[in-house]
Amino acid sequence: MTLLEWRDDFRIGIEEVDHEHQEMIGLINQLHAALGSERSGERVEAFLGDIFAGISAHFALEEKVMRARHYDGLAEHKADHERLLDDLRDMMDEHAAGAVLDDQAFAARLGEWFGAHFRTQDARLHKFLAR
Amino acid sequence: MNAIKRGLRALFLPLESAFEWAFGARLNPVTQLGTLGWFLFWIVTVSGIYVYVFFDTGVTQAWESLERLSRDQWWLGGIMRSLHRYASDALVIVVLLHALREFAMDRMRGNRWFAWVTGVPLIWFLYACGITGYWLVWDQLAQYVAVTTTEWLDTIGIFAEPIARNFLDSERLSGRFFTLMAYIHIAVPLLMLLAMWIHIQRHAHARVNPHRWLGIGTLAALTLLSLVRPAMSQAPANLDAAPFTLGFDWYYLTVYPLLQRMDGRWLWLILVGGSVFMTLLPWLPPLRRTAPARVDLPNCNGCARCFADCPFGAITMVARTDGLKFEQQAAVSDSLCMSCGICVGACPTATPFRRAGDLTPGIELPQRSIARLREQVVSAAATVQGELRVLVFGCAHDAGSAALADGSTAVIAMPCVGMLPPSFLDFILSRKHAEGILISGCAAHDCYERLGDQFTEQRIANERDPNLRGRVSRDRIAVSWNNPSRHASLRDDLARFREHLQAMSGQQAAASGPSAWRPPVAGAPQALRIAGQAVAYAAIAACVGYFATHPPFSYLGKDEALLKLSFSHAGQPLKPCRRYTPEELAKMPFSERRPTSCERGRWPVSVEIDLDGEPLYRGIHEPAGLWNDGPSSAYARFEVPAGRHRIDARLRDGGDPQRFEYQTSKVVDLTPGENFVVDFRATDGGFVFGRAQRDAAQRSGQ
């Protein structure tokens, strides 16, 4: 089963950002599947590393787009990005420290993490861009 | 060449350290000579515009108008005039030091050839500005500058008639030529400004303003100098007399005294040859070239952070080429890239956390990959032991960080510490690879790669993307910026960082500061440092003020007079003209008929001058013009003892070598400092001696 489904209302209207959102969802789903099928620490760590690098780059791109369009919610949105990256790093550290991850709880945390950001910050950006 | 650079560095580095002690890194004038140059340029421009408002460009009124400005309006006009002069002099110091320092630090390689090469004509423009400026005052120094400059320009031989003839004596003084100088003095600075703008084009985030307090201090020092020692004119110019001694601006007129002894053509050759050599310096060995940064498209989404951080403008954002749904991608210009790696430090995908594939970021240096950097970090961390393990990241130009390695300290060398992505700091501390990280780079605000130190600090302090993760303790990351001569200071910083780490481990939850830790500046109290600044300003101002007029320059010996030979006279035609015969005329088209046939070409004009029966001058002057049909002209200057002399002058303008068409003898009493002109005008019957002309003019005036 997939954890996160791409929905059209996630779309913010900028092709490259939407494209990356879909990529991120794909990555998170892969991680979820990996967690479900095996407990291979290395593979999970690598997935987390991929997600971290990918999301860092994605946020950098999104911030560039917001800056270019003089988005008034940039500071708040960026702070949320930083909070999300911080959380992700926590998960990575927990995993590295050998904490036994409850795969469901772990995946749910990731999914929620992304979904909440979509519903609030990205939705607001979408509204701003549609104006 | 390397020995010269080492020698210069041995001079510069202690000076920089001393200035940093007094001024602090942010205000250190030695590391911002370029911006100081811009600042002085603006002072000169503003004061110049003010002086121009009151300046009379007529040759007879110029001196008086400036004198009035300095005396009646000393409180503003006088200060402006003095600022105009002293800021110009300071500009020479700053520009030459700037060039010398960039050379000494080898900051002209690769992409930097552009700034270096465009800087060379700037020096010429600067001197052209200063020399034409001194000309405009029309005092004795201006007279010297006008005569010497035109004589020097005449040695190139590009002018049909010697332009020095414009300043032969007071009768022949050309007011129009003088006014032309005023316009050149405005045009050249405008060109210079354009060239200054071009000069910094290849530097991203180029700074053109010094730190505010440095600017204020500089302006204050120059203003004080202007009050203590106002710039004044010397005695008004008098072309009938040559000045004996002159207050001399050694900043702008440095090479002029050489012209007393040396053929002007040699001086041109030395200066032009020197400039060409200077222009070629960036391509002289030893050349170093490392592979430029490379973009990895699968990992680049076009976020433009590398573009924003490249100090050399080597990265551009271009349209996507790989079909992925991104708008842009980064592109590196190989010829502009300096391989500093600052772009890698900016790339969000440059993280040390293990990934499914290779650790390849969107952009990196092929010879210095992120994957290898991670390996180095992990293996270096494995070699150190103890309670307080410190990893040092050192740049290629720091104060010798390699020597810091010991049992509990490992050192990792990088081209520039700006290459280190903040996620590495997070990785090292959170994965407990070390208890502390010391970043060692060039002197603060003087990064060899221009901006590495600033970007590193800003990333750690959350002022620049990519940020260091908020939760990472800044107290475990220290920065130490030192020029290469300050190894002891770097070692001391490491020792104090260890003490700091030790103290922290005692108290469990130490509050972390917002930015990287640095040892508190110990040592001299504030008052002493401000006194140091005052001494530095005073010394520089005194240096500017003194050499602007001293030591005086002796143009002419006490008992000497000048004798100048100058004329412009057309020799006789090679063949006399001949009348056309009626038959010839009949054959010519009506519109081309003329009475005489004259072949082009004239005889050269030969001149001989004897002084007291001894040969003083012998010259053969070829006619000017492509067809050799123009006038022959001559200009020569002799220093002769004052007193009574017999002058015999002979001139031949025809083809008979046995005969001089014109001959004159005259006994003259030359007074010391007199400027005595021997001219030739066929319409006045031959040679014209300066004194006779003037005497005649005086008589007719009475």
Side-chain angles (χ1 to χ4, degrees), chain B residues 130-148:
Chain B
I131 288 163
T132 52
Y134 270 109
W135 198 310
L136 292 181
V137 183
W138 209 237
D139 59 358
Q140 288 196 342
L141 181 62
Q143 173 185 342
Y144 165 79
V145 168
V147 170
T148 311

PDB file of all heavy atoms in Angstrom, chain B residues 130-148:
ATOM      1  N   GLY B 130      45.842  63.438 -12.965  1.00  0.00           N
ATOM      2  CA  GLY B 130      46.643  64.256 -12.059  1.00  0.00           C
ATOM      3  C   GLY B 130      47.477  65.279 -12.803  1.00  0.00           C
ATOM      4  O   GLY B 130      47.553  66.444 -12.411  1.00  0.00           O
ATOM      5  N   ILE B 131      48.068  64.862 -13.913  1.00  0.00           N
ATOM      6  CA  ILE B 131      48.961  65.767 -14.646  1.00  0.00           C
ATOM      7  C   ILE B 131      48.168  66.913 -15.278  1.00  0.00           C
ATOM      8  O   ILE B 131      48.551  68.075 -15.178  1.00  0.00           O
ATOM      9  CB  ILE B 131      49.762  64.962 -15.687  1.00  0.00           C
ATOM     10  CG1 ILE B 131      50.801  64.109 -14.942  1.00  0.00           C
ATOM     11  CG2 ILE B 131      50.433  65.882 -16.692  1.00  0.00           C
ATOM     12  CD1 ILE B 131      51.387  62.988 -15.752  1.00  0.00           C
ATOM     13  N   THR B 132      47.020  66.579 -15.887  1.00  0.00           N
ATOM     14  CA  THR B 132      46.214  67.672 -16.466  1.00  0.00           C
ATOM     15  C   THR B 132      45.684  68.567 -15.348  1.00  0.00           C
ATOM     16  O   THR B 132      45.506  69.769 -15.541  1.00  0.00           O
ATOM     17  CB  THR B 132      45.038  67.117 -17.287  1.00  0.00           C
ATOM     18  OG1 THR B 132      44.310  66.175 -16.501  1.00  0.00           O
ATOM     19  CG2 THR B 132      45.511  66.441 -18.552  1.00  0.00           C
ATOM     20  N   GLY B 133      45.447  67.995 -14.173  1.00  0.00           N
ATOM     21  CA  GLY B 133      44.956  68.803 -13.052  1.00  0.00           C
ATOM     22  C   GLY B 133      45.983  69.835 -12.627  1.00  0.00           C
ATOM     23  O   GLY B 133      45.665  71.016 -12.443  1.00  0.00           O
ATOM     24  N   TYR B 134      47.237  69.421 -12.499  1.00  0.00           N
ATOM     25  CA  TYR B 134      48.277  70.372 -12.100  1.00  0.00           C
ATOM     26  C   TYR B 134      48.475  71.453 -13.157  1.00  0.00           C
ATOM     27  O   TYR B 134      48.864  72.571 -12.868  1.00  0.00           O
ATOM     28  CB  TYR B 134      49.585  69.635 -11.808  1.00  0.00           C
ATOM     29  CG  TYR B 134      49.658  69.225 -10.366  1.00  0.00           C
ATOM     30  CD1 TYR B 134      49.554  67.910  -9.968  1.00  0.00           C
ATOM     31  CD2 TYR B 134      49.776  70.207  -9.378  1.00  0.00           C
ATOM     32  CE1 TYR B 134      49.580  67.554  -8.635  1.00  0.00           C
ATOM     33  CE2 TYR B 134      49.805  69.870  -8.043  1.00  0.00           C
ATOM     34  CZ  TYR B 134      49.709  68.547  -7.674  1.00  0.00           C
ATOM     35  OH  TYR B 134      49.724  68.210  -6.351  1.00  0.00           O
ATOM     36  N   TRP B 135      48.200  71.107 -14.373  1.00  0.00           N
ATOM     37  CA  TRP B 135      48.332  72.018 -15.508  1.00  0.00           C
ATOM     38  C   TRP B 135      47.380  73.211 -15.357  1.00  0.00           C
ATOM     39  O   TRP B 135      47.705  74.353 -15.657  1.00  0.00           O
ATOM     40  CB  TRP B 135      47.946  71.211 -16.742  1.00  0.00           C
ATOM     41  CG  TRP B 135      48.349  71.712 -18.066  1.00  0.00           C
ATOM     42  CD1 TRP B 135      48.158  72.975 -18.565  1.00  0.00           C
ATOM     43  CD2 TRP B 135      48.969  70.951 -19.093  1.00  0.00           C
ATOM     44  NE1 TRP B 135      48.621  73.033 -19.834  1.00  0.00           N
ATOM     45  CE2 TRP B 135      49.132  71.805 -20.195  1.00  0.00           C
ATOM     46  CE3 TRP B 135      49.399  69.641 -19.202  1.00  0.00           C
ATOM     47  CZ2 TRP B 135      49.694  71.375 -21.398  1.00  0.00           C
ATOM     48  CZ3 TRP B 135      49.963  69.223 -20.395  1.00  0.00           C
ATOM     49  CH2 TRP B 135      50.112  70.068 -21.467  1.00  0.00           C
ATOM     50  N   LEU B 136      46.166  72.901 -14.862  1.00  0.00           N
ATOM     51  CA  LEU B 136      45.102  73.900 -14.869  1.00  0.00           C
ATOM     52  C   LEU B 136      45.315  75.046 -13.895  1.00  0.00           C
ATOM     53  O   LEU B 136      44.709  76.103 -14.036  1.00  0.00           O
ATOM     54  CB  LEU B 136      43.762  73.221 -14.549  1.00  0.00           C
ATOM     55  CG  LEU B 136      43.251  72.274 -15.622  1.00  0.00           C
ATOM     56  CD1 LEU B 136      41.912  71.699 -15.208  1.00  0.00           C
ATOM     57  CD2 LEU B 136      43.096  73.022 -16.935  1.00  0.00           C
ATOM     58  N   VAL B 137      46.144  74.823 -12.871  1.00  0.00           N
ATOM     59  CA  VAL B 137      46.327  75.865 -11.856  1.00  0.00           C
ATOM     60  C   VAL B 137      47.048  77.067 -12.466  1.00  0.00           C
ATOM     61  O   VAL B 137      46.880  78.201 -12.044  1.00  0.00           O
ATOM     62  CB  VAL B 137      47.127  75.289 -10.669  1.00  0.00           C
ATOM     63  CG1 VAL B 137      47.280  76.307  -9.580  1.00  0.00           C
ATOM     64  CG2 VAL B 137      46.457  74.027 -10.148  1.00  0.00           C
ATOM     65  N   TRP B 138      47.829  76.804 -13.475  1.00  0.00           N
ATOM     66  CA  TRP B 138      48.624  77.805 -14.182  1.00  0.00           C
ATOM     67  C   TRP B 138      49.507  78.634 -13.265  1.00  0.00           C
ATOM     68  O   TRP B 138      49.576  79.848 -13.343  1.00  0.00           O
ATOM     69  CB  TRP B 138      47.757  78.682 -15.098  1.00  0.00           C
ATOM     70  CG  TRP B 138      48.598  79.154 -16.259  1.00  0.00           C
ATOM     71  CD1 TRP B 138      48.822  80.460 -16.624  1.00  0.00           C
ATOM     72  CD2 TRP B 138      49.352  78.345 -17.152  1.00  0.00           C
ATOM     73  NE1 TRP B 138      49.692  80.505 -17.696  1.00  0.00           N
ATOM     74  CE2 TRP B 138      50.040  79.211 -18.032  1.00  0.00           C
ATOM     75  CE3 TRP B 138      49.567  76.979 -17.284  1.00  0.00           C
ATOM     76  CZ2 TRP B 138      50.893  78.748 -19.033  1.00  0.00           C
ATOM     77  CZ3 TRP B 138      50.411  76.523 -18.281  1.00  0.00           C
ATOM     78  CH2 TRP B 138      51.054  77.404 -19.127  1.00  0.00           C
ATOM     79  N   ASP B 139      50.179  77.901 -12.383  1.00  0.00           N
ATOM     80  CA  ASP B 139      51.245  78.524 -11.602  1.00  0.00           C
ATOM     81  C   ASP B 139      52.570  78.014 -12.157  1.00  0.00           C
ATOM     82  O   ASP B 139      52.598  77.410 -13.236  1.00  0.00           O
ATOM     83  CB  ASP B 139      51.084  78.192 -10.114  1.00  0.00           C
ATOM     84  CG  ASP B 139      51.117  76.682  -9.851  1.00  0.00           C
ATOM     85  OD1 ASP B 139      51.235  75.900 -10.824  1.00  0.00           O
ATOM     86  OD2 ASP B 139      51.000  76.279  -8.688  1.00  0.00           O
ATOM     87  N   GLN B 140      53.648  78.246 -11.436  1.00  0.00           N
ATOM     88  CA  GLN B 140      54.957  77.855 -11.986  1.00  0.00           C
ATOM     89  C   GLN B 140      55.081  76.345 -12.174  1.00  0.00           C
ATOM     90  O   GLN B 140      55.711  75.891 -13.109  1.00  0.00           O
ATOM     91  CB  GLN B 140      56.063  78.367 -11.075  1.00  0.00           C
ATOM     92  CG  GLN B 140      56.202  79.863 -11.199  1.00  0.00           C
ATOM     93  CD  GLN B 140      57.502  80.369 -10.625  1.00  0.00           C
ATOM     94  OE1 GLN B 140      58.159  79.674  -9.854  1.00  0.00           O
ATOM     95  NE2 GLN B 140      57.870  81.576 -10.982  1.00  0.00           N
ATOM     96  N   LEU B 141      54.437  75.607 -11.249  1.00  0.00           N
ATOM     97  CA  LEU B 141      54.481  74.158 -11.408  1.00  0.00           C
ATOM     98  C   LEU B 141      53.710  73.754 -12.671  1.00  0.00           C
ATOM     99  O   LEU B 141      54.144  72.890 -13.439  1.00  0.00           O
ATOM    100  CB  LEU B 141      53.877  73.462 -10.174  1.00  0.00           C
ATOM    101  CG  LEU B 141      53.886  71.933 -10.224  1.00  0.00           C
ATOM    102  CD1 LEU B 141      55.315  71.402 -10.289  1.00  0.00           C
ATOM    103  CD2 LEU B 141      53.167  71.343  -9.013  1.00  0.00           C
ATOM    104  N   ALA B 142      52.571  74.425 -12.884  1.00  0.00           N
ATOM    105  CA  ALA B 142      51.759  74.137 -14.070  1.00  0.00           C
ATOM    106  C   ALA B 142      52.568  74.433 -15.326  1.00  0.00           C
ATOM    107  O   ALA B 142      52.540  73.675 -16.301  1.00  0.00           O
ATOM    108  CB  ALA B 142      50.493  74.977 -14.047  1.00  0.00           C
ATOM    109  N   GLN B 143      53.294  75.528 -15.273  1.00  0.00           N
ATOM    110  CA  GLN B 143      54.127  75.903 -16.408  1.00  0.00           C
ATOM    111  C   GLN B 143      55.166  74.820 -16.692  1.00  0.00           C
ATOM    112  O   GLN B 143      55.341  74.380 -17.835  1.00  0.00           O
ATOM    113  CB  GLN B 143      54.814  77.224 -16.075  1.00  0.00           C
ATOM    114  CG  GLN B 143      55.834  77.667 -17.086  1.00  0.00           C
ATOM    115  CD  GLN B 143      56.550  78.927 -16.622  1.00  0.00           C
ATOM    116  OE1 GLN B 143      56.072  79.628 -15.735  1.00  0.00           O
ATOM    117  NE2 GLN B 143      57.682  79.211 -17.212  1.00  0.00           N
ATOM    118  N   TYR B 144      55.797  74.368 -15.627  1.00  0.00           N
ATOM    119  CA  TYR B 144      56.772  73.281 -15.769  1.00  0.00           C
ATOM    120  C   TYR B 144      56.091  72.033 -16.352  1.00  0.00           C
ATOM    121  O   TYR B 144      56.615  71.396 -17.271  1.00  0.00           O
ATOM    122  CB  TYR B 144      57.396  72.971 -14.408  1.00  0.00           C
ATOM    123  CG  TYR B 144      58.123  71.649 -14.380  1.00  0.00           C
ATOM    124  CD1 TYR B 144      59.407  71.524 -14.908  1.00  0.00           C
ATOM    125  CD2 TYR B 144      57.523  70.520 -13.843  1.00  0.00           C
ATOM    126  CE1 TYR B 144      60.062  70.312 -14.911  1.00  0.00           C
ATOM    127  CE2 TYR B 144      58.174  69.293 -13.832  1.00  0.00           C
ATOM    128  CZ  TYR B 144      59.445  69.198 -14.375  1.00  0.00           C
ATOM    129  OH  TYR B 144      60.085  67.988 -14.370  1.00  0.00           O
ATOM    130  N   VAL B 145      54.897  71.705 -15.791  1.00  0.00           N
ATOM    131  CA  VAL B 145      54.187  70.507 -16.236  1.00  0.00           C
ATOM    132  C   VAL B 145      53.803  70.651 -17.709  1.00  0.00           C
ATOM    133  O   VAL B 145      53.976  69.726 -18.509  1.00  0.00           O
ATOM    134  CB  VAL B 145      52.928  70.269 -15.365  1.00  0.00           C
ATOM    135  CG1 VAL B 145      52.035  69.221 -16.001  1.00  0.00           C
ATOM    136  CG2 VAL B 145      53.325  69.844 -13.965  1.00  0.00           C
ATOM    137  N   ALA B 146      53.309  71.845 -18.087  1.00  0.00           N
ATOM    138  CA  ALA B 146      52.872  72.065 -19.467  1.00  0.00           C
ATOM    139  C   ALA B 146      54.047  71.919 -20.428  1.00  0.00           C
ATOM    140  O   ALA B 146      53.977  71.195 -21.425  1.00  0.00           O
ATOM    141  CB  ALA B 146      52.239  73.442 -19.599  1.00  0.00           C
ATOM    142  N   VAL B 147      55.135  72.602 -20.092  1.00  0.00           N
ATOM    143  CA  VAL B 147      56.292  72.584 -20.998  1.00  0.00           C
ATOM    144  C   VAL B 147      56.879  71.171 -21.075  1.00  0.00           C
ATOM    145  O   VAL B 147      57.103  70.633 -22.157  1.00  0.00           O
ATOM    146  CB  VAL B 147      57.351  73.608 -20.522  1.00  0.00           C
ATOM    147  CG1 VAL B 147      58.638  73.426 -21.310  1.00  0.00           C
ATOM    148  CG2 VAL B 147      56.820  75.017 -20.655  1.00  0.00           C
ATOM    149  N   THR B 148      57.066  70.546 -19.900  1.00  0.00           N
ATOM    150  CA  THR B 148      57.707  69.235 -19.891  1.00  0.00           C
ATOM    151  C   THR B 148      56.817  68.179 -20.548  1.00  0.00           C
ATOM    152  O   THR B 148      57.294  67.334 -21.297  1.00  0.00           O
ATOM    153  CB  THR B 148      58.043  68.828 -18.444  1.00  0.00           C
ATOM    154  OG1 THR B 148      58.709  69.913 -17.813  1.00  0.00           O
ATOM    155  CG2 THR B 148      58.923  67.601 -18.422  1.00  0.00           C
TER     156      THR B 148
END
